[in-house]
């Protein structure tokens, strides 16, 4: 077989990009070498439809053990009774969860995408808005915080079967007891999609959703710093209230409905190599170093908040409780699109983002989203955040100046050379 030089050259090129630039996309991170090692190996060869001990293929005795380890570690980290580690992504986790508890046409209530929500929380262009009747709550115009009164009013008006909390671009913590009270009053389930802050929740820096939310989904590659993938968790398993019976005439447990909704409901063979890598990431999360890491994420986000405020940037909700900041650029007379495009020329990677009540389209936007988990993994500390904001500000205040972007880029490349990405990298 001839070696595929073309693709491995591209992988090296991508390595150089990741190594030399400032990675500020709030949903990205740099997973460890051992996570990648677990992900890129012979477990990719194995078919294992089903679950540990109950598979549709022979030869699953080894992957049974590694999948069970991933399950046990996830349960331990979040102190929950149930974990399904097979979803290929956060979107797959949400699709399976909804398939488990909803019928087509059922109503759901989530945070509007344009207010910081996620596609899978009911957007009309997504399965969640096509299969289910979706309704939305917002953040308040005056302070950028979730409008729980609106959530309550929408819940009473539409009587959804499912209320979804969690977001992609929201920098504050959530009031889970209030959400559960709203749900209980209308007989709804609560799903928390904690994909973004999951690592911070794992280490107790943010409120825990588990006691109040019937179901919790997450990706594994954001603040959890694992391989790309998803998980579904439940603090308590319980008999389903949907009237679904098992062959003996008993109500099926929720865990059974969720497992069936992942496989065979929405997926076929699990990615056992990725599940092994999830187990490795969970092992890392259980170590003290992960507490140091997540504490540093919060310190870096706060340092960045102060630095942006000092330069008169308009941070939605006035600041951050977590790993990200959403910045409204309208007072700087620059669109999100223009800022993103100019910053990338200086090797600063972040994404344009709608801000609440935006007057521009999702392709243009008035804002940018800035996150610190990836740079925190690289070893950057509070004292570096001011320099980063200086670079961002230099570009944004002279957004058409390509010469300036190139000079910032060379400063950044020189700076990032000092922060190792992978010690044993080889393509
Ligand atoms: N792509 C994720 C994010 O950037 O937040 C959401 O799916």
């Amino acid at each position: 077989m001839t070696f595929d030089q073309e693709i491995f050259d591209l992988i090296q090129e991508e390595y150089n990009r990741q190594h030399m630039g400032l990675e500020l996309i709030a949903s990205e991170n740099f997973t460890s070498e051992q996570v990648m090692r677990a992900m890129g190996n012979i477990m990719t060869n194995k078919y294992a439809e089903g679950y540990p001990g109950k598979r549709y293929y022979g030869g699953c005795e080894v992957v049974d053990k590694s999948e069970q380890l991933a399950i046990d570690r996830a349960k331990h980290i979040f102190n929950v009774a149930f974990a399904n580690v097979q979803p290929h992504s956060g979107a797959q986790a949400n699709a399976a969860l909804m398939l488990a508890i909803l019928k087509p046409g059922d109503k759901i209530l989530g945070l509007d995408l344009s207010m910081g929500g996620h596609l899978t929380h009911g957007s009309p262009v997504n399965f969640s808005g096509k299969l289910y009747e979706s309704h939305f709550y917002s953040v308040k115009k005056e302070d950028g915080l979730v409008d729980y009164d609106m959530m309550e009013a929408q819940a009473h008006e539409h009587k959804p079967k499912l209320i979804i909390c969690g977001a992609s671009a929201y920098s504050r913590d959530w009031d889970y007891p209030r959400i559960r009270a709203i749900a209980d009053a209308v007989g709804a389930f609560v799903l928390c999609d904690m994909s973004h802050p999951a690592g911070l929740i794992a280490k107790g820096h943010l409120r825990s959703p588990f006691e109040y939310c019937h179901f919790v989904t997450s990706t594994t590659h954001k603040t959890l710093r694992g391989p790309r993938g998803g998980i579904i968790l439940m603090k308590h398993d319980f008999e389903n209230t949907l009237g679904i019976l098992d062959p003996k005439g008993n109500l099926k447990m929720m865990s059974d409905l969720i497992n069936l909704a992942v496989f065979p409901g929405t997926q076929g063979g699990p990615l056992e190599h990725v599940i092994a890598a999830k187990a490795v990431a969970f092992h890392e999360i259980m170590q003290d170093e992960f507490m140091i890491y997540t504490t540093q994420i919060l310190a870096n986000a706060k340092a960045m908040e102060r630095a942006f405020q000092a330069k008169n940037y308009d941070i939605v909700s006035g600041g951050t409780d977590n790993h990200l900041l959403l910045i409204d650029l309208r007072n700087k007379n620059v669109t999100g699109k223009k800022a993103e495009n100019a910053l990338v020329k200086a090797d600063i990677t972040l994404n344009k983002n709608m801000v609440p009540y935006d007057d521009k389209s999702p392709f243009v936007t008035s804002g940018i989203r800035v996150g610190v988990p990836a740079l925190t993994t690289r070893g950057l500390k509070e004292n570096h955040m001011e320099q980063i904001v200086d670079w961002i500000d230099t570009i944004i205040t002279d957004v058409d100046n390509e010469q300036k972007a190139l000079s910032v880029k060379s400063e950044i490349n020189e700076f990032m050379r000092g922060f190792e990405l992978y010690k044993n990298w080889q393509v």
Side-chain angles (χ1 to χ4, degrees):
M1 230 180 298
T2 53
F3 182 71
D4 188 351
Q5 192 64 50
E6 208 175 349
I7 203 73
F8 286 99
D9 282 350
L10 288 173
I11 292 172
Q12 183 61 45
E13 199 176 322
E14 173 61 7
Y15 176 85
N16 297 343
R17 189 194 69 79
Q18 293 189 14
H19 184 204
M20 299 308 276
L22 283 181
E23 184 50 74
L24 288 162
I25 293 177
S27 46
E28 291 190 12
N29 213 328
F30 299 108
T31 200
S32 71
E33 284 175 89
Q34 62 173 345
V35 164
M36 288 195 290
R37 203 170 139 205
M39 214 180 343
N41 69 69
I42 42 87
M43 283 199 182
T44 193
N45 298 334
K46 189 73 201 94
Y47 248 119
E49 285 176 350
Y51 290 97
K54 283 175 276 174
R55 306 281 192 181
Y56 287 84
Y57 292 84
C60 290
E61 54 279 4
V62 181
V63 294
D64 273 5
K65 286 187 226 166
S66 62
E67 184 167 339
Q68 193 57 50
L69 257 183
I71 292 168
D72 293 343
R73 289 174 181 173
K75 283 163 64 174
H76 175 79
I77 289 166
F78 294 105
N79 189 22
V80 294
F82 169 80
N84 184 309
V85 298
Q86 291 193 1
H88 302 331
S89 68
Q92 292 286 113
N94 287 343
L97 191 275
M98 290 184 208
L99 182 76
I101 60 169
L102 301 175
K103 288 199 282 299
D106 278 353
K107 295 175 186 172
I108 62 174
L109 175 61
L111 178 63
D112 199 310
L113 181 61
S114 68
M115 299 279 160
H118 189 254
L119 276 171
T120 58
H121 299 179
S123 166
V125 298
N126 181 260
F127 78 89
S128 56
K130 290 181 190 286
L131 286 182
Y132 309 112
E133 183 186 315
S134 51
H135 297 274
F136 300 100
Y137 56 91
S138 302
V139 298
K140 289 174 281 169
K141 202 166 190 174
E142 62 276 19
D143 58 14
L145 299 177
V146 163
D147 189 342
Y148 292 101
D149 292 341
M150 181 176 181
M151 182 193 286
E152 186 165 23
Q154 290 285 86
H156 282 271
E157 184 180 341
H158 300 293
K159 305 275 189 305
K161 272 216 179 134
L162 179 67
I163 297 178
I164 306 164
C165 57
S168 283
Y170 185 61
S171 61
R172 298 299 187 179
D173 208 349
W174 291 78
D175 186 349
Y176 300 114
R178 173 113 199 245
I179 297 166
R180 179 58 183 264
I182 291 169
D184 282 347
V186 298
F189 288 121
V190 182
L191 162 63
C192 172
D193 180 346
M194 64 168 185
S195 293
H196 263 268
L200 303 175
I201 291 170
K203 288 299 186 187
H205 299 291
L206 294 176
R207 292 176 203 133
S208 170
F210 290 99
E211 203 55 65
Y212 300 98
C213 303
H214 303 86
F215 315 104
V216 177
T217 53
S218 183
T219 51
T220 47
H221 49 273
K222 297 187 175 81
T223 48
L224 289 178
R225 210 163 61 175
R228 303 197 80 79
I231 44 173
I232 305 175
L233 307 167
M234 272 193 299
K235 173 83 181 166
H236 307 287
D237 197 3
F238 54 103
E239 282 181 341
N240 82 83
T241 48
L242 309 163
I244 301 172
L245 302 177
D246 68 15
K248 292 185 187 143
N250 300 316
L251 284 168
K252 272 190 194 272
M253 298 302 284
M254 272 299 177
S255 53
D256 293 324
L257 295 189
I258 293 172
N259 284 340
L260 285 167
V262 175
F263 170 80
T266 50
Q267 294 186 173
L271 309 177
E272 289 298 339
H273 55 308
V274 178
I275 290 171
K278 287 175 185 173
V280 174
F282 296 152
H283 170 79
E284 292 176 359
I285 292 164
M286 285 153 59
Q287 312 305 313
D288 292 343
E289 288 96 315
F290 204 80
M291 178 62 100
I292 296 169
Y293 167 61
T294 48
T295 304
Q296 190 64 51
I297 287 180
L298 292 178
N300 285 353
K302 276 288 168 200
M304 197 164 257
E305 172 193 298
R306 288 192 294 275
F308 274 116
Q309 280 166 344
K311 292 189 181 297
N312 195 31
Y313 279 83
D314 181 6
I315 303 173
V316 174
S317 86
T320 184
D321 296 331
N322 59 26
H323 60 296
L324 67 83
L325 299 156
L326 182 60
I327 297 175
D328 187 336
L329 292 175
R330 282 178 284 199
N331 68 344
K332 302 285 178 186
N333 292 318
V334 177
T335 64
K337 181 180 178 184
K338 197 142 197 183
E340 180 191 301
N341 288 339
L343 288 163
V344 88
K345 291 185 183 136
D347 281 353
I348 300 173
T349 316
L350 47 67
N351 62 287
K352 62 178 179 281
N353 214 101
M354 299 275 279
V355 295
Y357 306 95
D358 210 322
D359 54 338
K360 300 189 185 68
S361 79
F363 299 105
V364 178
T365 81
S366 294
I368 50 172
R369 188 183 64 162
V370 186
V372 299
L375 285 184
T376 306
T377 296
R378 291 294 296 275
L380 273 69
K381 303 279 191 294
E382 294 97 305
N383 59 315
H384 302 122
M385 297 300 123
E386 201 171 321
Q387 170 66 78
I388 291 171
V389 172
D390 266 347
W391 279 320
I392 293 173
D393 184 57
T394 302
I395 304 290
I396 284 180
T397 51
D398 199 359
V399 80
D400 292 314
N401 190 335
E402 300 220 354
Q403 271 316 108
K404 206 177 251 183
L406 287 178
S407 119
V408 169
K409 173 183 156 77
S410 59
E411 283 179 44
I412 286 174
N413 294 162
E414 192 48 39
F415 175 71
M416 289 313 291
R417 213 182 288 281
F419 295 91
E420 188 170 70
L421 179 52
Y422 292 114
K423 202 187 290 172
N424 303 308
W425 169 257
Q426 59 179 53
V427 70

